Amino acid sequence: MSFTVTATDGAARAGVLRTAHGDVPTPAFMPVGTKASVKSLHPDEVREAGAAILLGNTYHLHFRPGEDLIADLGGLHAFMGWDGPILTDSGGFQVFSLRDTLLAVEDEGVTFRSVYDGQAARFTAEQVAGIQAKLGSDIAMCLDVCPPAGVPRAELEEAVRLTTAWATRQREAERAPGQLVFGITQGASDRDLRSRSVQEIAALDFDGFALGGLSVGEPRPEMVEAVEWAAPMLPADRPRYFMGIGDPEGILDVIARGIDMFDCVLPTRMGRTGTALTSQGRLNLRNARFARDPGPLDERCSCQTCSRFSRAYIRHLVNQQELLALRLLSLHNLSFLLDVTTGARTAIEAGRLAEFTLEMRRRMASEA
Ligand SMILES: [Zn+2]
């Protein structure tokens, strides 16, 4: 068994996920290296910030530079200079979130136009398994149908049906030596459809299970409520992955409801907009009130950005569109989210997650 729960606190769990490239303490925040890079950061900085596992995007790596090239150069770990665990998504999320590039969704697979050259392309269960096997990731994800929020129930039902059909095929498909494969459940926040999806996907006995099709545009309270009843439906002895959440409040929401892994592009995306996530809420560094502020982004943070640079300096870099602004903000945002996650893990082990969460929320709601 690749996953062990080591402590629980209410519905929340702390654990360890063992992969071919090392152990991942959970709950785990997975920084996203979309194109085999966590934007602007060196892998050593990502590790030093506390990341134990990265996420790579199958869609983008398939089109540029291509899985065959990466395989010829020793696989994704060697290619990007990261020897820790890597999870690759199936590419399905990109296909379904770029709805105007969708051409056909059929039993065989999904046909779409590549965002790179507009050429028609197709993903099938077997093909995304093959791509991820060549990339050599530690965890491969199943191809699923991920509709946006608010689609008619019939479309959700069809998403559940196809997701199960594809997962059944992918389970028997090729995988890299030692590669774990996670199944994805769909059904949005429709209780009947979600439980049908969970039953069908859990029966396929994957190494881990994800809640897909949430955090896709529905109101946050609806999402949190769905996680509350859906997470406990997933097998208790396997890791539970919530796809696509990474704001500090959201992280605390899903951890408390029994989620073990999550990913988001937020730390680097916020960096690009000049925003810092801090223990006292979000700071927009463009704000004139930081012009002469000698303090760090976050007094409680010990990252390389906060231990050396002032808000005033970073504000200057943001305003002048200096590349260093993006690096310093991304590094801090990533460190902060990883610290929140580690703090939650420690709190679960001490049986005080509720207090930790309350304290974090109270501080983040205050003015910096
Ligand atoms: Zn910091």
Side-chain angles (χ1 to χ4, degrees):
M1 192 62 72
S2 55
F3 182 65
T4 310
V5 174
T6 53
T8 60
D9 182 3
R13 300 124 61 92
V16 181
L17 172 63
R18 282 173 292 281
T19 79
H21 286 83
D23 290 353
V24 179
T26 63
F29 176 80
M30 300 186 283
V32 180
T34 306
K35 300 181 177 182
S37 130
V38 179
K39 289 195 190 305
S40 84
L41 299 180
H42 189 293
D44 290 349
E45 294 173 316
V46 175
R47 186 188 306 277
E48 201 172 316
I53 178 169
L54 296 187
L55 189 145
N57 281 111
T58 290
Y59 181 105
H60 294 289
L61 297 174
H62 168 64
F63 289 109
R64 301 285 188 276
E67 62 275 13
D68 288 323
L69 182 149
I70 291 175
D72 287 349
L73 290 166
L76 186 54
H77 297 82
F79 185 60
M80 66 185 288
W82 168 267
D83 62 5
I86 299 175
L87 178 148
T88 44
D89 65 6
S90 68
F93 180 78
Q94 273 76 28
V95 170
F96 288 97
S97 60
L98 302 162
R99 288 209 25 122
D100 50 352
T101 66
L102 262 184
L103 296 174
V105 186
E106 299 156 319
D107 283 14
E108 177 58 24
V110 55
T111 312
F112 57 97
R113 289 198 184 283
S114 154
V115 291
Y116 287 95
D117 57 13
Q119 295 291 309
R122 171 175 273 195
F123 277 168
T124 65
E126 292 77 10
Q127 197 194 357
V128 300
I131 298 170
Q132 294 178 88
K134 282 182 179 163
L135 294 174
S137 56
D138 298 278
I139 303 169
M141 297 301 297
C142 283
L143 184 66
D144 62 328
V145 178
C146 182
V151 300
R153 191 169 191 276
E155 193 176 334
L156 275 186
E157 192 162 6
E158 177 66 358
V160 167
R161 184 186 75 79
L162 278 175
T163 296
T164 298
W166 294 350
T168 307
R169 279 160 45 195
Q170 194 165 339
R171 202 186 174 290
E172 305 309 319
E174 166 184 23
R175 60 174 82 180
Q179 191 175 45
L180 305 174
V181 180
F182 283 16
I184 304 177
T185 67
Q186 284 291 338
S189 49
D190 183 302
R191 220 181 248 258
D192 291 341
L193 290 178
R194 178 68 64 175
S195 51
R196 182 193 304 176
S197 185
V198 168
Q199 277 177 19
E200 292 174 355
I201 301 296
L204 295 170
D205 197 30
F206 286 105
D207 301 299
F209 295 92
L211 293 179
L214 289 169
S215 197
V216 290
E218 75 283 9
R220 180 57 71 89
E222 182 184 323
M223 182 213 90
V224 172
E225 197 195 321
V227 177
E228 178 139 350
W229 54 255
M233 292 179 182
L234 298 170
D237 62 349
R238 307 293 156 89
R240 300 165 175 163
Y241 169 22
F242 187 95
M243 305 178 83
I245 201 159
D247 61 291
E249 297 84 358
I251 287 176
L252 294 169
D253 279 336
V254 301
I255 290 176
R257 287 160 181 83
I259 295 295
D260 307 301
M261 305 162 71
F262 32 86
D263 70 283
C264 197
V265 295
L266 193 78
T268 46
R269 179 171 292 167
M270 288 275 143
R272 293 204 284 286
T273 64
T275 306
L277 302 163
T278 80
S279 60
Q280 294 175 287
R282 293 183 185 194
L283 307 184
N284 177 357
L285 272 297
R286 294 179 202 280
N287 194 311
R289 72 191 166 106
F290 301 122
R292 292 174 169 274
D293 190 333
L297 292 175
D298 188 342
E299 283 190 348
R300 294 177 169 269
C301 181
S302 57
C303 81
Q304 288 191 32
T305 301
C306 292
S307 55
R308 186 156 173 183
F309 303 101
S310 67
R311 290 173 172 182
Y313 177 59
I314 296 169
R315 172 184 147 76
H316 159 71
L317 296 178
V318 167
N319 283 341
Q320 295 308 312
Q321 298 175 350
E322 282 293 311
L323 293 176
L324 186 59
L326 171 59
R327 278 180 42 66
L328 295 182
L329 282 167
S330 296
L331 187 58
H332 163 76
N333 287 340
L334 186 61
S335 302
F336 174 69
L337 293 172
L338 288 161
D339 284 352
V340 169
T341 308
T342 307
R345 178 182 162 85
T346 307
I348 293 167
E349 288 170 336
R352 50 176 304 277
L353 182 67
E355 293 89 326
F356 172 80
T357 301
L358 199 67
E359 174 68 13
M360 283 296 303
R361 282 186 195 289
R362 195 186 55 72
R363 255 193 251 129
M364 287 190 293
S366 69
E367 263 297 291

Coordinates of all heavy atoms in Angstrom, one line a residue, residues 24-110:
V24 N 5.8 11.7 0.3 CA 5.1 13.0 0.3 C 4.3 13.0 1.6 O 3.4 12.3 1.7 CB 4.2 13.1 -0.9 CG1 3.5 14.5 -0.9 CG2 5.0 13.0 -2.2
P25 N 4.7 13.9 2.5 CA 3.9 14.1 3.7 C 2.6 14.8 3.3 O 2.6 15.7 2.5 CB 4.7 15.0 4.6 CG 6.0 15.2 4.0 CD 5.9 14.8 2.5
T26 N 1.4 14.3 3.8 CA 0.2 14.9 3.5 C -0.5 15.5 4.7 O -0.2 15.0 5.8 CB -0.8 13.9 2.8 OG1 -1.1 12.9 3.7 CG2 -0.2 13.3 1.5
P27 N -1.3 16.5 4.6 CA -1.8 17.2 3.4 C -0.6 17.8 2.6 O 0.3 18.3 3.2 CB -2.7 18.3 3.9 CG -3.1 17.9 5.3 CD -1.9 17.1 5.8
A28 N -0.7 17.8 1.3 CA 0.3 18.2 0.4 C -0.2 19.2 -0.6 O -1.2 19.0 -1.3 CB 1.0 17.1 -0.3
F29 N 0.4 20.4 -0.6 CA 0.2 21.4 -1.7 C 1.1 21.1 -2.8 O 2.4 21.0 -2.6 CB 0.4 22.8 -1.2 CG 0.2 23.9 -2.3 CD1 -1.1 24.2 -2.6 CD2 1.3 24.4 -2.9 CE1 -1.3 25.2 -3.7 CE2 1.1 25.4 -3.9 CZ -0.2 25.7 -4.3
M30 N 0.6 20.9 -4.0 CA 1.5 20.6 -5.2 C 1.6 21.9 -6.1 O 0.6 22.2 -6.8 CB 0.9 19.5 -6.0 CG 0.7 18.2 -5.2 SD 0.2 16.8 -6.1 CE -1.6 17.2 -6.3
P31 N 2.8 22.5 -6.1 CA 3.0 23.6 -7.0 C 2.9 23.1 -8.5 O 3.2 22.0 -8.8 CB 4.4 24.1 -6.7 CG 4.8 23.5 -5.4 CD 4.0 22.2 -5.3
V32 N 2.3 23.9 -9.3 CA 2.1 23.5 -10.7 C 3.3 24.0 -11.6 O 3.6 25.2 -11.7 CB 0.8 24.1 -11.2 CG1 0.5 23.6 -12.7 CG2 -0.4 23.6 -10.4
G33 N 3.9 23.0 -12.3 CA 4.9 23.3 -13.2 C 4.4 23.0 -14.6 O 4.7 22.0 -15.3
T34 N 3.5 23.9 -15.1 CA 2.7 23.6 -16.3 C 3.5 23.1 -17.4 O 3.2 22.1 -18.0 CB 2.0 24.9 -16.7 OG1 1.2 25.4 -15.6 CG2 1.0 24.7 -17.8
K35 N 4.5 23.9 -17.8 CA 5.3 23.6 -18.9 C 6.7 23.1 -18.5 O 7.7 23.5 -19.0 CB 5.5 24.8 -19.8 CG 4.1 25.3 -20.3 CD 4.2 26.5 -21.2 CE 2.8 26.8 -21.7 NZ 2.8 28.0 -22.7
A36 N 6.7 22.2 -17.4 CA 7.9 21.6 -16.8 C 8.7 22.7 -16.2 O 10.0 22.7 -16.1 CB 8.7 20.9 -17.9
S37 N 8.0 23.7 -15.6 CA 8.7 24.8 -14.8 C 7.7 25.4 -13.9 O 6.6 25.8 -14.4 CB 9.3 25.8 -15.8 OG 9.0 27.1 -15.4
V38 N 8.0 25.6 -12.6 CA 7.2 26.4 -11.8 C 7.6 27.8 -12.1 O 8.7 28.2 -11.8 CB 7.4 26.1 -10.3 CG1 6.5 26.9 -9.4 CG2 7.1 24.6 -10.0
K39 N 6.7 28.6 -12.7 CA 7.1 29.8 -13.4 C 8.1 30.7 -12.6 O 7.7 31.1 -11.5 CB 5.9 30.6 -13.8 CG 5.1 29.9 -15.0 CD 4.1 30.8 -15.6 CE 3.2 30.1 -16.6 NZ 3.9 29.3 -17.6
S40 N 9.2 30.9 -13.2 CA 10.3 31.8 -12.7 C 11.1 31.2 -11.6 O 12.1 31.8 -11.2 CB 9.7 33.2 -12.3 OG 9.2 33.2 -10.9
L41 N 10.8 30.0 -11.1 CA 11.5 29.5 -9.9 C 12.4 28.4 -10.3 O 12.1 27.5 -11.1 CB 10.5 29.1 -8.8 CG 9.6 30.2 -8.3 CD1 8.7 29.6 -7.2 CD2 10.5 31.3 -7.7
H42 N 13.6 28.3 -9.6 CA 14.6 27.2 -9.8 C 14.0 26.1 -8.9 O 13.5 26.3 -7.9 CB 15.9 27.7 -9.2 CG 17.1 26.8 -9.5 ND1 17.2 25.6 -8.9 CD2 18.2 27.0 -10.3 CE1 18.3 25.0 -9.3 NE2 18.9 25.8 -10.1
P43 N 14.2 24.8 -9.4 CA 13.7 23.7 -8.6 C 14.3 23.7 -7.2 O 13.5 23.2 -6.3 CB 14.3 22.5 -9.4 CG 14.5 23.0 -10.8 CD 14.8 24.4 -10.7
D44 N 15.5 24.1 -7.0 CA 16.0 24.1 -5.6 C 15.3 25.1 -4.7 O 15.1 24.9 -3.5 CB 17.5 24.5 -5.6 CG 18.4 23.4 -6.2 OD1 17.9 22.3 -6.5 OD2 19.6 23.7 -6.5
E45 N 14.8 26.2 -5.3 CA 14.0 27.2 -4.6 C 12.7 26.6 -4.2 O 12.1 26.8 -3.1 CB 13.8 28.5 -5.4 CG 15.1 29.2 -5.6 CD 14.9 30.4 -6.6 OE1 14.2 30.2 -7.6 OE2 15.4 31.5 -6.3
V46 N 12.1 25.8 -5.2 CA 10.8 25.2 -4.9 C 10.9 24.2 -3.8 O 10.1 24.1 -2.9 CB 10.3 24.5 -6.2 CG1 9.0 23.8 -6.0 CG2 10.1 25.6 -7.3
R47 N 12.0 23.4 -3.8 CA 12.2 22.4 -2.8 C 12.4 23.1 -1.4 O 11.9 22.8 -0.4 CB 13.4 21.5 -3.1 CG 13.6 20.4 -2.1 CD 14.9 19.7 -2.4 NE 15.0 19.2 -3.7 CZ 14.4 18.1 -4.2 NH1 13.7 17.3 -3.4 NH2 14.6 17.7 -5.5
E48 N 13.3 24.2 -1.5 CA 13.6 24.9 -0.2 C 12.4 25.6 0.4 O 12.2 25.7 1.6 CB 14.7 26.0 -0.5 CG 15.4 26.4 0.7 CD 16.6 27.3 0.4 OE1 17.3 27.0 -0.6 OE2 16.7 28.3 1.1
A49 N 11.4 25.9 -0.5 CA 10.2 26.5 0.0 C 9.3 25.5 0.7 O 8.4 25.8 1.4 CB 9.4 27.2 -1.1
G50 N 9.6 24.2 0.5 CA 8.9 23.2 1.2 C 8.1 22.2 0.4 O 7.4 21.4 0.9
A51 N 8.2 22.4 -0.9 CA 7.4 21.5 -1.8 C 8.0 20.1 -1.8 O 9.2 19.9 -2.0 CB 7.4 22.0 -3.2
A52 N 7.1 19.1 -1.7 CA 7.6 17.7 -1.7 C 7.2 17.0 -3.1 O 7.8 16.0 -3.4 CB 7.0 16.9 -0.6
I53 N 6.3 17.6 -3.8 CA 5.8 17.0 -5.1 C 5.4 18.2 -6.0 O 4.8 19.2 -5.5 CB 4.7 16.1 -4.8 CG1 4.1 15.5 -6.1 CG2 3.5 16.7 -3.9 CD1 3.1 14.3 -5.9
L54 N 5.6 18.0 -7.3 CA 5.2 19.0 -8.3 C 4.2 18.4 -9.2 O 4.1 17.2 -9.3 CB 6.4 19.4 -9.2 CG 7.6 20.1 -8.6 CD1 8.5 20.5 -9.7 CD2 7.1 21.3 -7.8
L55 N 3.4 19.2 -9.9 CA 2.5 18.8 -10.9 C 2.9 19.2 -12.3 O 3.4 20.4 -12.4 CB 1.1 19.4 -10.5 CG -0.1 18.9 -11.4 CD1 -1.3 18.8 -10.5 CD2 -0.3 19.7 -12.6
G56 N 2.8 18.3 -13.2 CA 3.2 18.7 -14.6 C 1.9 18.5 -15.5 O 1.1 17.6 -15.2
N57 N 1.8 19.3 -16.5 CA 0.6 19.3 -17.3 C 0.8 18.5 -18.6 O 1.6 18.8 -19.5 CB 0.1 20.7 -17.7 CG -0.6 21.4 -16.6 OD1 -0.1 22.3 -16.0 ND2 -1.8 20.8 -16.3
T58 N 0.1 17.3 -18.7 CA 0.3 16.4 -19.8 C -0.1 17.1 -21.2 O 0.6 16.9 -22.2 CB -0.6 15.2 -19.6 OG1 0.0 14.5 -18.5 CG2 -0.8 14.3 -20.8
Y59 N -1.2 17.9 -21.1 CA -1.6 18.6 -22.4 C -0.4 19.4 -23.0 O -0.1 19.3 -24.1 CB -2.8 19.5 -22.1 CG -3.4 20.3 -23.2 CD1 -4.6 19.9 -23.8 CD2 -2.7 21.4 -23.7 CE1 -5.1 20.6 -24.9 CE2 -3.3 22.1 -24.8 CZ -4.5 21.7 -25.3 OH -5.0 22.5 -26.4
H60 N 0.1 20.3 -22.1 CA 1.2 21.2 -22.7 C 2.4 20.4 -23.0 O 3.0 20.7 -24.1 CB 1.5 22.3 -21.6 CG 0.3 23.2 -21.4 ND1 -0.1 24.1 -22.4 CD2 -0.6 23.4 -20.4 CE1 -1.2 24.8 -22.0 NE2 -1.5 24.3 -20.8
L61 N 2.8 19.5 -22.2 CA 4.1 18.7 -22.5 C 3.9 17.8 -23.7 O 4.9 17.6 -24.4 CB 4.5 17.9 -21.2 CG 4.8 18.8 -20.0 CD1 5.1 17.9 -18.8 CD2 6.0 19.7 -20.3
H62 N 2.7 17.4 -23.9 CA 2.5 16.5 -25.1 C 2.7 17.4 -26.4 O 3.3 16.9 -27.4 CB 1.0 16.0 -25.1 CG 0.6 15.4 -26.4 ND1 1.1 14.3 -26.9 CD2 -0.4 15.8 -27.3 CE1 0.5 13.9 -28.0 NE2 -0.4 14.8 -28.3
F63 N 2.2 18.6 -26.4 CA 2.4 19.4 -27.6 C 3.7 20.1 -27.7 O 4.3 20.3 -28.8 CB 1.2 20.5 -27.7 CG -0.1 19.8 -28.0 CD1 -1.1 19.8 -27.1 CD2 -0.3 19.3 -29.3 CE1 -2.3 19.2 -27.4 CE2 -1.6 18.7 -29.6 CZ -2.6 18.6 -28.6
R64 N 4.3 20.5 -26.6 CA 5.6 21.2 -26.6 C 6.3 20.7 -25.3 O 5.8 21.1 -24.2 CB 5.5 22.7 -26.6 CG 4.7 23.3 -27.8 CD 5.5 23.3 -29.0 NE 4.9 24.0 -30.1 CZ 4.0 23.5 -30.9 NH1 3.5 22.3 -30.8 NH2 3.4 24.3 -31.9
P65 N 7.4 20.1 -25.3 CA 8.2 19.6 -26.5 C 7.8 18.3 -27.0 O 8.4 17.8 -28.0 CB 9.6 19.6 -26.0 CG 9.5 19.1 -24.6 CD 8.2 19.7 -24.1
G66 N 6.8 17.6 -26.4 CA 6.4 16.2 -26.8 C 7.0 15.2 -25.9 O 8.2 15.3 -25.5
E67 N 6.2 14.2 -25.6 CA 6.7 13.1 -24.6 C 7.8 12.3 -25.1 O 8.6 11.8 -24.4 CB 5.5 12.3 -24.2 CG 4.8 11.5 -25.3 CD 3.7 12.2 -26.1 OE1 3.7 13.5 -25.9 OE2 3.0 11.6 -26.8
D68 N 7.9 12.1 -26.5 CA 9.0 11.3 -27.0 C 10.4 12.0 -26.8 O 11.3 11.4 -26.4 CB 8.8 11.0 -28.5 CG 7.6 10.1 -28.7 OD1 7.5 9.1 -27.9 OD2 6.8 10.3 -29.7
L69 N 10.4 13.3 -27.0 CA 11.6 14.1 -26.8 C 12.0 14.0 -25.3 O 13.2 13.7 -24.9 CB 11.4 15.5 -27.2 CG 12.6 16.5 -27.1 CD1 12.6 17.5 -28.2 CD2 12.7 17.1 -25.7
I70 N 11.0 14.2 -24.4 CA 11.3 14.1 -23.0 C 11.8 12.7 -22.6 O 12.8 12.6 -21.8 CB 10.1 14.6 -22.2 CG1 9.8 16.1 -22.4 CG2 10.2 14.2 -20.7 CD1 8.5 16.6 -21.7
A71 N 11.1 11.7 -23.1 CA 11.6 10.3 -22.8 C 13.0 10.1 -23.3 O 13.8 9.5 -22.6 CB 10.6 9.3 -23.4
D72 N 13.3 10.6 -24.5 CA 14.7 10.4 -25.0 C 15.7 11.1 -24.1 O 16.9 10.7 -24.1 CB 14.8 11.0 -26.4 CG 14.1 10.1 -27.5 OD1 13.7 9.0 -27.1 OD2 13.9 10.6 -28.6
L73 N 15.3 12.1 -23.4 CA 16.2 12.9 -22.6 C 16.2 12.4 -21.1 O 16.6 13.1 -20.2 CB 16.0 14.4 -22.7 CG 16.4 14.9 -24.1 CD1 15.8 16.3 -24.3 CD2 17.9 15.0 -24.2
G74 N 15.6 11.2 -20.9 CA 15.6 10.6 -19.6 C 14.4 10.7 -18.8 O 14.4 10.4 -17.6
G75 N 13.3 11.2 -19.4 CA 12.1 11.4 -18.6 C 11.9 12.8 -18.0 O 12.9 13.6 -18.0
L76 N 10.7 13.1 -17.5 CA 10.4 14.4 -17.0 C 11.3 14.9 -15.8 O 11.7 16.0 -15.8 CB 8.9 14.5 -16.6 CG 8.4 15.9 -16.3 CD1 8.7 16.9 -17.3 CD2 6.9 15.8 -16.0
H77 N 11.6 13.9 -14.9 CA 12.4 14.3 -13.8 C 13.8 14.8 -14.2 O 14.3 15.9 -13.8 CB 12.7 13.1 -12.8 CG 11.4 12.6 -12.2 ND1 10.6 11.7 -12.8 CD2 10.9 12.8 -11.0 CE1 9.6 11.4 -12.0 NE2 9.7 12.1 -10.9
A78 N 14.5 14.1 -15.1 CA 15.8 14.4 -15.6 C 15.7 15.7 -16.4 O 16.5 16.6 -16.3 CB 16.4 13.3 -16.4
F79 N 14.7 15.8 -17.3 CA 14.5 16.9 -18.2 C 14.4 18.2 -17.5 O 15.0 19.2 -17.9 CB 13.2 16.6 -19.1 CG 13.0 17.6 -20.1 CD1 13.9 17.8 -21.2 CD2 11.8 18.4 -20.2 CE1 13.7 18.8 -22.2 CE2 11.6 19.3 -21.2 CZ 12.6 19.5 -22.2
M80 N 13.6 18.2 -16.4 CA 13.4 19.5 -15.7 C 14.3 19.7 -14.4 O 14.2 20.7 -13.7 CB 11.9 19.7 -15.3 CG 11.4 18.7 -14.3 SD 9.5 19.0 -14.1 CE 9.5 20.5 -13.2
G81 N 15.2 18.7 -14.2 CA 16.1 18.9 -13.1 C 15.4 18.8 -11.7 O 15.9 19.5 -10.7
W82 N 14.4 18.0 -11.6 CA 13.7 17.8 -10.3 C 13.6 16.3 -10.0 O 13.0 15.6 -10.8 CB 12.3 18.4 -10.4 CG 11.3 18.0 -9.3 CD1 10.5 17.0 -9.2 CD2 11.2 18.7 -8.0 NE1 9.8 17.0 -8.0 CE2 10.2 18.0 -7.3 CE3 11.8 19.9 -7.5 CZ2 9.8 18.4 -6.0 CZ3 11.4 20.3 -6.2 CH2 10.4 19.6 -5.5
D83 N 14.3 15.9 -8.9 CA 14.3 14.4 -8.7 C 13.3 14.0 -7.7 O 13.3 12.8 -7.2 CB 15.8 14.0 -8.3 CG 16.3 14.6 -7.0 OD1 15.5 15.4 -6.4 OD2 17.4 14.4 -6.7
G84 N 12.4 14.9 -7.2 CA 11.4 14.5 -6.3 C 10.2 14.0 -7.1 O 10.2 13.9 -8.3
P85 N 9.1 13.6 -6.3 CA 7.9 13.1 -6.9 C 7.2 14.2 -7.9 O 7.3 15.4 -7.6 CB 7.0 12.9 -5.7 CG 7.9 12.7 -4.6 CD 9.0 13.6 -4.8
I86 N 6.6 13.6 -8.9 CA 5.9 14.4 -9.9 C 4.5 13.7 -10.1 O 4.5 12.5 -10.4 CB 6.6 14.6 -11.2 CG1 7.9 15.3 -11.1 CG2 5.7 15.3 -12.2 CD1 8.8 15.4 -12.4
L87 N 3.5 14.5 -10.1 CA 2.1 14.1 -10.6 C 1.9 14.7 -11.9 O 2.1 15.9 -12.1 CB 1.1 14.4 -9.5 CG -0.4 14.1 -9.8 CD1 -1.2 13.8 -8.5 CD2 -1.1 15.2 -10.6
T88 N 1.4 13.9 -12.9 CA 1.0 14.5 -14.1 C -0.6 14.4 -14.2 O -1.1 13.4 -13.9 CB 1.6 13.9 -15.4 OG1 1.6 12.4 -15.2 CG2 3.0 14.3 -15.6
D89 N -1.2 15.5 -14.6 CA -2.6 15.4 -14.9 C -2.8 14.7 -16.2 O -1.9 14.4 -16.9 CB -3.3 16.8 -14.9 CG -2.8 17.7 -16.0 OD1 -2.0 17.2 -16.9 OD2 -3.2 18.9 -16.0
S90 N -4.1 14.4 -16.6 CA -4.3 13.6 -17.8 C -4.4 14.5 -19.1 O -4.4 14.0 -20.2 CB -5.6 12.9 -17.7 OG -6.7 13.8 -17.7
G91 N -4.4 15.8 -18.9 CA -4.7 16.7 -20.0 C -6.1 17.0 -20.2 O -6.5 18.0 -20.9
G92 N -7.0 16.2 -19.6 CA -8.4 16.4 -19.8 C -8.9 17.7 -19.4 O -9.8 18.4 -20.0
F93 N -8.4 18.2 -18.2 CA -8.9 19.5 -17.7 C -8.7 20.6 -18.7 O -9.6 21.4 -18.9 CB -8.2 19.8 -16.3 CG -8.7 21.1 -15.8 CD1 -10.0 21.2 -15.2 CD2 -8.0 22.3 -15.9 CE1 -10.4 22.4 -14.7 CE2 -8.4 23.5 -15.4 CZ -9.7 23.5 -14.8
Q94 N -7.5 20.7 -19.3 CA -7.2 21.7 -20.3 C -8.2 21.6 -21.5 O -8.7 22.6 -22.0 CB -5.8 21.6 -20.8 CG -4.8 22.4 -19.9 CD -4.4 21.7 -18.6 OE1 -4.5 20.4 -18.6 NE2 -4.1 22.4 -17.6
V95 N -8.3 20.3 -21.9 CA -9.2 20.1 -23.1 C -10.6 20.7 -22.8 O -11.2 21.4 -23.6 CB -9.3 18.6 -23.5 CG1 -10.4 18.4 -24.5 CG2 -7.9 18.1 -24.0
F96 N -11.2 20.3 -21.6 CA -12.5 20.7 -21.3 C -12.7 22.1 -20.8 O -13.8 22.7 -20.9 CB -13.2 19.7 -20.3 CG -13.4 18.4 -21.0 CD1 -12.5 17.3 -20.8 CD2 -14.6 18.2 -21.8 CE1 -12.8 16.1 -21.5 CE2 -14.8 17.0 -22.4 CZ -13.9 15.9 -22.2
S97 N -11.6 22.7 -20.3 CA -11.7 24.1 -19.9 C -11.6 25.1 -21.1 O -12.0 26.2 -21.1 CB -10.8 24.5 -18.8 OG -9.4 24.3 -19.2
L98 N -10.9 24.6 -22.2 CA -10.8 25.4 -23.4 C -12.0 25.0 -24.3 O -11.8 24.4 -25.3 CB -9.5 25.2 -24.1 CG -8.2 25.5 -23.2 CD1 -7.0 24.8 -23.8 CD2 -8.0 27.0 -23.1
R99 N -13.2 25.3 -23.9 CA -14.4 24.8 -24.5 C -14.5 25.1 -26.0 O -15.1 24.4 -26.8 CB -15.7 25.2 -23.8 CG -15.7 24.5 -22.5 CD -16.9 24.2 -21.8 NE -18.2 24.0 -22.2 CZ -18.9 22.8 -22.0 NH1 -18.3 21.8 -21.5 NH2 -20.2 22.8 -22.3
D100 N -14.0 26.3 -26.4 CA -14.2 26.6 -27.8 C -13.2 25.9 -28.7 O -13.3 26.0 -29.9 CB -14.2 28.1 -28.0 CG -13.0 28.8 -27.4 OD1 -12.3 28.1 -26.6 OD2 -12.7 30.0 -27.6
T101 N -12.3 25.1 -28.1 CA -11.5 24.2 -28.9 C -12.0 22.8 -29.0 O -11.4 22.0 -29.7 CB -10.0 24.2 -28.4 OG1 -10.0 23.6 -27.1 CG2 -9.5 25.6 -28.3
L102 N -13.1 22.5 -28.3 CA -13.6 21.1 -28.3 C -14.3 20.8 -29.6 O -15.1 21.6 -30.1 CB -14.7 21.0 -27.2 CG -14.3 20.4 -25.8 CD1 -15.6 20.3 -25.0 CD2 -13.6 19.1 -25.9
L103 N -14.0 19.7 -30.2 CA -14.7 19.3 -31.4 C -15.7 18.2 -31.2 O -16.8 18.2 -31.8 CB -13.6 18.9 -32.5 CG -12.6 20.0 -32.9 CD1 -11.5 19.4 -33.8 CD2 -13.4 21.1 -33.6
A104 N -15.3 17.1 -30.5 CA -16.2 16.0 -30.2 C -15.9 15.3 -29.0 O -14.7 15.1 -28.7 CB -16.2 15.1 -31.4
V105 N -16.9 14.9 -28.2 CA -16.7 14.0 -27.1 C -17.4 12.7 -27.3 O -18.6 12.7 -27.4 CB -17.2 14.7 -25.8 CG1 -16.8 13.8 -24.5 CG2 -16.7 16.1 -25.6
E106 N -16.7 11.6 -27.5 CA -17.3 10.4 -27.9 C -16.8 9.3 -27.0 O -15.8 9.5 -26.2 CB -16.9 10.0 -29.3 CG -17.4 11.1 -30.3 CD -16.6 11.1 -31.6 OE1 -15.3 11.0 -31.6 OE2 -17.2 11.3 -32.7
D107 N -17.4 8.1 -27.1 CA -16.9 7.0 -26.3 C -15.4 6.7 -26.5 O -14.7 6.3 -25.5 CB -17.7 5.7 -26.6 CG -19.1 5.7 -26.0 OD1 -19.6 6.8 -25.5 OD2 -19.8 4.7 -26.0
E108 N -15.0 6.8 -27.7 CA -13.6 6.5 -27.9 C -12.6 7.5 -27.2 O -11.6 7.1 -26.7 CB -13.3 6.6 -29.5 CG -11.9 6.3 -29.9 CD -11.3 5.0 -29.5 OE1 -12.1 4.1 -29.2 OE2 -10.1 4.9 -29.3
G109 N -13.0 8.8 -27.2 CA -12.1 9.8 -26.6 C -12.6 11.2 -26.9 O -13.7 11.4 -27.4
V110 N -11.7 12.2 -26.7 CA -12.1 13.6 -26.9 C -11.3 14.2 -28.0 O -10.0 14.0 -28.1 CB -12.1 14.4 -25.6 CG1 -10.7 14.3 -25.0 CG2 -12.5 15.9 -25.9

